[in-house]
Amino acid sequence: MSYRVGVLGGDGIGPEVIAEGLRVIEAAGVTLDTVDYDLGGARYLADGTILPDSILDDWRGLDAIYLGAVGTPEVPPGVIERGLLLKMRFELDLYVNQRPFTTPTHDFVVIRENTEGAYAGEGGFLRKGTPFEIATQGSVNTRMGAERCIRYAFELAEKRRKHLTLVHKTNVLTFSGDLWERTFNEVAAEHPDVETAYNHVDAACIYFVDDPGRYDVVVTDNLFGDILTDLGGAVSGGIGLASSANLNPARTGPSMFEPVHGSAPDIAGQAKANPIAAILSGALMLDFLGEDNAAARIVKACEVATGTEGSTSEIADAVIANL
């Protein structure tokens, strides 16, 4: 079976690591019908294009999107992030961000709500540019948004070790935290075989470093999830090994899969980038498409190849040799 996948190499090391990810997927025996899209910081600098609606319409007919990295130092912060990545999440309803963290001593997954919270864009300026300037940035949380993310996390926990931890800051964020906690507890009543726990986000930062083995599945809001997942990458071998899936579990459109290490322009074109995160993101894509056997083989091969020294392509060669 062939899958129609949109490929965005993007900027910096993005095209290098995605090329190796595609090579590993082919070696694992899965056929992809790829469609290349030239988007990112370089494209924006060339002609001002970020994410046209016509491309969004194309994407709705895809099975998945495989993204390397976007962003260049010459583009002001927020232009590509909001105009491309966040627009993609909102328009394609990629409401779950799933980040796995695996080492020889621990294995846990963070489920981050991906379309609401502080990233929704609520807020603005008053008296901008004056000494009396005011900036507000609200966190938008809906019952629907929290509940569908929490339900996904419970369903995942059911398939794993049956333990789910909610992370928030209910003692200070008494409105959004209350909504999340009440929703979590109500859904928990439908899953009596899943053990539950709650951590304040500051405590979770400590536990991620000191005792990550306490976690199986973690569910949290958009901003806390953004921070915690980078910390999770740091304690699980480094951000260069961190994969991610931006999921539309309802499958009303394609889901997007990307490494989270960024475009790393300082090493672009030097064959120094570790492609493991991109390869593991490709495995997440295959698993979501139903190619679970190939996905599991790739994950296992990456575990064996982790620590391999060499160029970008040599590390991918090591993964392929261990398939």
Side-chain angles (χ1 to χ4, degrees), residues 19-32 279 286 293-295 297-298 301 316-323:
E20 301 304 331
L22 291 171
R23 194 159 66 90
V24 171
I25 289 170
E26 182 180 13
V30 179
T31 301
L32 301 182
I279 294 169
L286 295 187
N293 180 267
R297 288 169 52 222
I298 290 173
D317 288 340
V319 173
I320 291 171
N322 286 296
L323 281 173

Side-chain angles (χ1 to χ4, degrees), residues 120-140:
E122 191 277 335
F125 292 101
L126 291 172
R127 307 186 189 100
K128 187 175 182 180
T130 76
F132 307 101
E133 182 172 344
I134 300 169
T136 62
Q137 191 83 53
S139 178
V140 177

Side-chain angles (χ1 to χ4, degrees), residues 263-274:
S263 60
D266 55 321
I267 60 170
Q270 301 175 44
K272 291 181 178 180
N274 188 334

Side-chain angles (χ1 to χ4, degrees), residues 7-124:
V7 176
L8 286 78
D11 301 305
I13 63 172
E16 301 172 49
V17 296
I18 286 297
E20 301 304 331
L22 291 171
R23 194 159 66 90
V24 171
I25 289 170
E26 182 180 13
V30 179
T31 301
L32 301 182
D33 175 16
T34 59
V35 184
D36 291 321
Y37 293 91
D38 176 21
L39 296 171
R43 175 67 185 276
Y44 173 77
L45 291 171
D47 62 14
T49 297
I50 304 179
L51 178 54
D53 290 341
S54 59
I55 290 181
L56 268 173
D57 290 339
D58 285 346
W59 286 353
R60 291 187 174 96
L62 299 174
D63 294 307
I65 298 169
Y66 194 25
L67 186 149
V70 292
T72 60
E74 298 83 6
V75 179
V79 172
I80 300 300
E81 292 84 353
R82 283 214 160 268
L84 176 56
L85 296 176
L86 292 185
K87 183 177 180 180
M88 184 190 306
R89 292 178 194 170
F90 299 152
E91 294 292 332
L92 300 179
D93 205 17
L94 307 178
Y95 64 85
V96 164
N97 180 267
Q98 181 167 325
R99 294 274 299 273
F101 302 102
T102 304
T103 75
T105 59
H106 61 262
D107 169 22
F108 67 97
V109 180
V110 175
I111 301 301
R112 163 192 173 193
E113 199 289 317
N114 210 31
T115 60
E116 296 188 345
Y119 292 73
E122 191 277 335

Side-chain angles (χ1 to χ4, degrees), residues 26-315:
E26 182 180 13
V30 179
T31 301
L32 301 182
D33 175 16
T34 59
V35 184
D36 291 321
Y37 293 91
D38 176 21
L39 296 171
R43 175 67 185 276
Y44 173 77
L45 291 171
D47 62 14
T49 297
I50 304 179
L51 178 54
D53 290 341
S54 59
I55 290 181
L56 268 173
D57 290 339
D58 285 346
W59 286 353
R60 291 187 174 96
L62 299 174
D63 294 307
I65 298 169
Y66 194 25
L67 186 149
V70 292
T72 60
E74 298 83 6
V75 179
V79 172
I80 300 300
E81 292 84 353
R82 283 214 160 268
L84 176 56
L85 296 176
L86 292 185
K87 183 177 180 180
M88 184 190 306
R89 292 178 194 170
F90 299 152
E91 294 292 332
L92 300 179
D93 205 17
L94 307 178
Y95 64 85
V96 164
N97 180 267
Q98 181 167 325
R99 294 274 299 273
F101 302 102
T102 304
T103 75
T105 59
H106 61 262
D107 169 22
F108 67 97
V109 180
V110 175
I111 301 301
R112 163 192 173 193
E113 199 289 317
N114 210 31
T115 60
E116 296 188 345
Y119 292 73
E122 191 277 335
F125 292 101
L126 291 172
R127 307 186 189 100
K128 187 175 182 180
T130 76
F132 307 101
E133 182 172 344
I134 300 169
T136 62
Q137 191 83 53
S139 178
V140 177
N141 299 265
T142 69
R143 169 67 189 228
M144 182 197 75
E147 182 173 340
R148 65 183 184 174
C149 183
I150 288 167
R151 286 191 178 279
Y152 181 89
F154 269 103
E155 290 165 7
L156 181 62
E158 290 273 15
K159 300 172 186 175
R160 289 174 51 90
R161 300 194 303 275
K162 299 186 185 302
H163 190 281
L164 178 61
T165 304
L166 170 65
V167 172
H168 211 283
K169 190 69 174 172
T170 56
N171 58 337
V172 174
L173 303 178
T174 54
F175 301 121
S176 61
D178 182 71
L179 184 150
W180 271 82
E181 188 170 44
R182 280 186 291 108
T183 306
F184 182 84
N185 291 338
E186 289 172 23
V187 177
E190 302 173 22
H191 299 268
D193 54 336
V194 175
E195 183 181 358
T196 61
Y198 171 80
N199 292 160
H200 290 323
V201 65
D202 43 350
C205 288
I206 296 172
Y207 298 145
F208 266 45
V209 175
D210 286 351
D211 187 21
R214 70 167 53 208
Y215 296 117
D216 176 21
V217 181
V218 174
V219 65
T220 190
D221 85 340
N222 208 335
L223 180 58
F224 295 150
D226 194 1
I227 297 166
L228 283 174
T229 50
D230 280 353
L231 179 57
V235 301
S236 301
I239 205 73
L241 304 179
S243 59
S244 77
N246 295 267
L247 303 178
N248 176 336
R251 299 178 190 265
T252 57
S255 294
M256 185 270 279
F257 304 83
E258 62 172 334
V260 298
H261 47 53
S263 60
D266 55 321
I267 60 170
Q270 301 175 44
K272 291 181 178 180
N274 188 334
I276 293 289
I279 294 169
L280 288 172
S281 298
L284 288 172
M285 177 172 68
L286 295 187
D287 185 67
F288 194 73
L289 291 172
E291 297 287 346
D292 50 313
N293 180 267
R297 288 169 52 222
I298 290 173
V299 170
K300 184 64 177 178
C302 286
E303 290 174 0
V304 176
T306 295
T308 299
E309 295 184 359
S311 68
T312 305
S313 61
E314 287 169 343
I315 294 172

